[in-house]
Amino acid sequence: MMSDRLRAFSGQIIAVGVALLLGAIIILLVGESPIHVLMTLLRGAFGDQEKIAGTLLQTTPILICGVAACIGLRGGMFNVGIEGQLFLGGFAAAWVGFSFSLPAGIHMLAALALAVVAGAAWVAIPAFFRARYNTNEVVSTILSNYIAVLLTSYFTIFLFKRPGGWSETPPILATAYLPEIFSFSRLNWGLFIGLALAVGVALIFRYTSWGYGVTMVGSAPKFAEYGGVNVKRQGFVVLLLSGAVGGLAGGVETLGVHHRFMEGFAPGFGFDGLIAALLANGSPVATIVTALFFGALRSGSLLLEVDTSASREIITVIQALIILSVSAQVLIKRRGDSQAGERRWKF
């Protein structure tokens, strides 16, 4: 077991190393020094306390979305719709925040609760078709992203738009705010929620019978079915929980950062969380590290266009290279495991 984990970890490190090497070649091709770009990224992400807080602020939604992806991956489900669940959760939290007047604390919890419900409800349809008709959840959840983004845009522009020129809802009441950690940054308690969620989900998967059943369904569904596990129902529940956490990410972003819902309020956090979970091999605790990596890339890229001649879009290219490298590594590993299994069977 330990050697498998070490092999998986080393494979991910090699994949990231190959992606960074290719990224360095591309930076050279655009006429910039990779070392200078790297140092600028590090300075932009960790240069002083404000930049560190900015990096952690970017890390928070990626971490929560990553935990949502981990729940799905552990149960053998590939929830690509976390971006859409994040948007629905963010809008639901904003609606509670500006529509109701409740005591502080209760107001925040009510908004987060509706964000969780909205995320779970949004993934319920793909989850039902996956469980009932064995449809591909990758296709159905990725298509649901576009509907979610356009639906929340419609709500924001035509139904709940605040007076003025911007496409955004009215601001939420102060009683629904997530408390900030520092006075000089918008970093808020969402970071603690993400950390507690990652550790809590890891403990559930490791020490509970339900977590063991989910892991078994994800790694060996036929074996789990022979052992009496209702695989279809387990998959349905796993997708619902994954969507609920995705909705929570949107609620945290709304209540802790923007204090309203606006068009494109959290672009790409859901996809970054999915990549962070893949890079962590589906481990919620390891996702803390990978989410910090992607948060640092986002935060550091803000300084990239100021101090170098490279565009900040180079970070998007590097992220794409990481996806390709990690995907290739996973495919090679699965093919190797399959061939080894066939050899054992023939023997």
Side-chain angles (χ1 to χ4, degrees), residues 20-262:
L20 293 179
L21 181 62
L22 293 174
I25 293 173
I26 293 174
I27 292 170
L28 282 173
L29 291 176
V30 300
E32 188 54 84
S33 164
I35 300 297
H36 182 50
V37 169
L38 176 63
M39 297 309 293
T40 304
L41 278 174
L42 289 175
R43 194 155 40 87
F46 304 106
D48 54 41
Q49 61 180 10
E50 291 185 6
K51 290 186 173 60
I52 293 173
T55 296
L56 294 177
L57 184 66
Q58 297 283 342
T59 300
T60 299
I62 299 174
L63 172 59
I64 300 176
C65 290
V67 173
C70 285
I71 294 172
L73 291 173
R74 189 62 70 96
M77 296 291 165
F78 207 70
N79 180 11
V80 194
I82 296 173
E83 184 83 0
Q85 293 138 30
L86 179 144
F87 268 70
L88 262 295
F91 180 83
W95 180 72
V96 174
F98 66 74
S99 298
F100 300 95
S101 180
L102 297 171
I106 295 175
H107 201 179
M108 178 191 69
L109 292 175
L112 288 177
L114 193 65
V116 167
V117 172
W122 192 246
V123 81
I125 297 175
F128 170 77
F129 280 97
R130 176 69 170 84
R132 183 70 178 81
Y133 301 106
N134 201 29
T135 57
N136 190 324
E137 78 279 4
V138 175
V139 176
S140 56
T141 53
I142 199 169
L143 290 177
S144 69
N145 283 333
Y146 299 101
I147 302 173
V149 173
L150 294 175
L151 187 63
T152 52
S153 293
Y154 175 80
F155 289 156
T156 306
I157 296 173
F158 295 104
L159 300 181
F160 299 99
K161 183 176 180 296
R162 75 170 178 86
W166 297 101
S167 298
E168 60 186 28
T169 65
I172 63 174
L173 302 179
T175 49
Y177 284 12
L178 268 175
E180 293 180 348
I181 299 175
F182 303 116
S183 59
F184 55 84
S185 168
R186 292 182 295 172
L187 183 63
N188 54 75
W189 284 14
L191 178 65
F192 300 135
I193 293 175
L195 292 173
L197 201 60
V199 175
V201 169
L203 292 175
I204 288 173
F205 279 134
R206 186 172 180 83
Y207 293 109
T208 67
S209 58
W210 180 83
Y212 177 77
V214 170
T215 304
M216 191 56 66
V217 169
S219 57
K222 287 293 182 186
F223 180 79
E225 195 169 7
Y226 290 145
V229 178
N230 190 330
V231 174
K232 290 184 176 180
R233 186 174 65 185
Q234 200 75 281
F236 180 78
V237 172
V238 162
L239 271 179
L240 283 189
L241 291 176
S242 178
V245 176
L248 176 65
V252 166
E253 191 68 7
T254 294
L255 304 183
V257 180
H258 302 293
H259 300 152
R260 70 199 70 208
F261 185 87
M262 61 191 76

